[in-house]
Amino acid sequence: MASTNAYAGNITEELCDPAESDTGFGAGTFNGKFYSWFELTQEDKTDCNTKISFYDEATRHFRVEWNVAESYGEDAIGGMGWSKGSRNRKIGYNVGELTTNSSIQKALVALYGWSCDTTNGKETSQEYYIVDTWDGGKFVPWDENTNSPAEKYGSVKANGAWYDVYKVGREGAQACFGGDEIKFEQFWSVRRSPRGTGADRNIDFRPHANRWDNNDMKFKVGGLKKVIKLWL
């Protein structure tokens, strides 16, 4: 769950992106809770630009701060969740505060993770996002290969709302098999209207996984590796 300013004085631990990481990924556990983060910068900065701050109440509250959105192509992801995913995962959350001071990057709240599949010796990395709310105007994933909005693959209904579905090919750092020049795919479900903050919400992963796991998209559910909520 996200924190509000009321918890600002109760930080129990603060974690930062490791400067020694070649890919920008980091992961671990805090009080038995899995967390992970990623940051991408144009200038390969080694500063602590992404911070995850843990609060009291059995670590169910946390806050993510970032300072990397200086140009297009820079982003930060961080949050708590599970080290292994499941098609049947249901996640409850409550966002206390969501803000961005960037005119070019949005702040998103989403379910995020990777499907890492090895079949017949072939390694397949697939990244996924279920975007539930965001700060800013309409959000559509961007396809860097065509320099245009991502291709839409219809829609899916989940949690009583419609989500638009997208698929994008990427190349770069990925969490599955190491290396920073790997081709992979991104799968997106974006709610047509953002949810408000300050209320209990939930995300049911199954309808989205079922939609992606079709012949037109070919998501490999069997390779699910990481599931976390994120700030981007």
Side-chain angles (χ1 to χ4, degrees), residues 114-127 167 174-177 182-185 187 217-225:
W114 288 85
S115 176
C116 308
D117 182 81
T118 303
T119 302
N120 297 326
K122 181 181 179 181
E123 296 178 341
T124 302
S125 299
Q126 296 178 321
E127 185 181 31
K167 181 178 176 181
Q174 43 77 53
C176 290
F177 304 108
I182 305 296
K183 290 184 178 180
F184 62 94
E185 297 173 321
F187 294 77
M217 298 189 75
K218 296 181 172 60
F219 181 68
K220 295 182 179 295
V221 178
L224 288 174
K225 181 181 180 182

Side-chain angles (χ1 to χ4, degrees), residues 22 27-28 30 40 48 50 58 74 106 109 111 127 141 155 161 164 166 178 181 188 195-196 201-202 204 210 214:
D22 293 331
F30 175 71
L40 171 69
C48 180
T50 306
E74 299 191 345
K106 287 183 171 61
V109 174
L111 175 65
E127 185 181 31
S155 58
D164 292 323
Y166 305 87
E181 296 298 331
W188 293 80
R195 287 177 162 178
R201 311 292 187 185
N202 62 81
D204 186 354
N210 288 348
N214 275 339

Side-chain angles (χ1 to χ4, degrees), residues 3-228:
S3 71
T4 65
N5 286 336
Y7 296 93
N10 300 320
I11 296 176
T12 55
E13 185 164 331
E14 185 173 83
L15 301 166
C16 303
D17 180 75
E20 69 274 10
S21 173
D22 293 331
T23 63
F25 285 100
T29 58
F30 175 71
N31 284 358
K33 306 291 186 180
F34 173 79
Y35 65 85
S36 70
W37 68 87
F38 167 74
E39 69 177 45
L40 171 69
T41 67
Q42 298 287 350
E43 299 177 357
D44 296 325
K45 297 176 182 176
T46 58
D47 300 342
C48 180
N49 294 306
T50 306
K51 300 178 182 179
I52 304 177
S53 303
F54 295 95
Y55 296 78
D56 56 7
E57 296 192 20
T59 74
R60 295 178 67 243
H61 293 81
F62 68 95
R63 181 185 185 95
V64 177
E65 302 176 48
W66 63 94
N67 183 28
V68 296
E70 297 183 356
S71 66
Y72 288 104
E74 299 191 345
D75 57 45
I77 301 169
M80 296 180 69
W82 296 265
S83 60
K84 186 173 179 60
S86 167
R87 183 198 291 263
N88 299 316
R89 186 78 70 192
K90 294 183 179 180
I91 295 176
Y93 71 92
N94 188 319
V95 179
E97 180 184 12
L98 181 67
T99 59
T100 177
N101 59 7
S102 171
S103 61
I104 58 176
Q105 297 280 49
K106 287 183 171 61
L108 309 177
V109 174
L111 175 65
Y112 161 80
W114 288 85
S115 176
C116 308
D117 182 81
T118 303
T119 302
N120 297 326
K122 181 181 179 181
E123 296 178 341
T124 302
S125 299
Q126 296 178 321
E127 185 181 31
Y128 59 87
Y129 299 80
I130 301 173
V131 182
D132 228 32
T133 193
W134 58 91
D135 181 46
K138 181 177 176 60
F139 174 74
V140 176
W142 193 256
D143 188 336
E144 295 180 357
N145 298 310
T146 62
N147 198 30
S148 62
E151 181 181 359
K152 186 177 175 182
Y153 280 74
S155 58
V156 61
K157 191 172 185 180
N159 299 107
W162 285 99
Y163 293 73
D164 292 323
V165 178
Y166 305 87
K167 181 178 176 181
V168 183
R170 295 291 301 272
E171 182 173 349
Q174 43 77 53
C176 290
F177 304 108
D180 58 3
E181 296 298 331
I182 305 296
K183 290 184 178 180
F184 62 94
E185 297 173 321
Q186 290 180 334
F187 294 77
W188 293 80
S189 291
V190 181
R191 202 173 189 274
R192 289 182 178 172
S193 59
R195 287 177 162 178
T197 59
D200 291 341
R201 311 292 187 185
N202 62 81
I203 297 176
D204 186 354
F205 184 53
R206 187 178 183 86
H208 302 277
N210 288 348
R211 172 62 190 92
W212 302 336
D213 187 22
N214 275 339
N215 290 334
D216 62 336
M217 298 189 75
K218 296 181 172 60
F219 181 68
K220 295 182 179 295
V221 178
L224 288 174
K225 181 181 180 182
K226 296 178 181 177
V227 180
I228 61 171

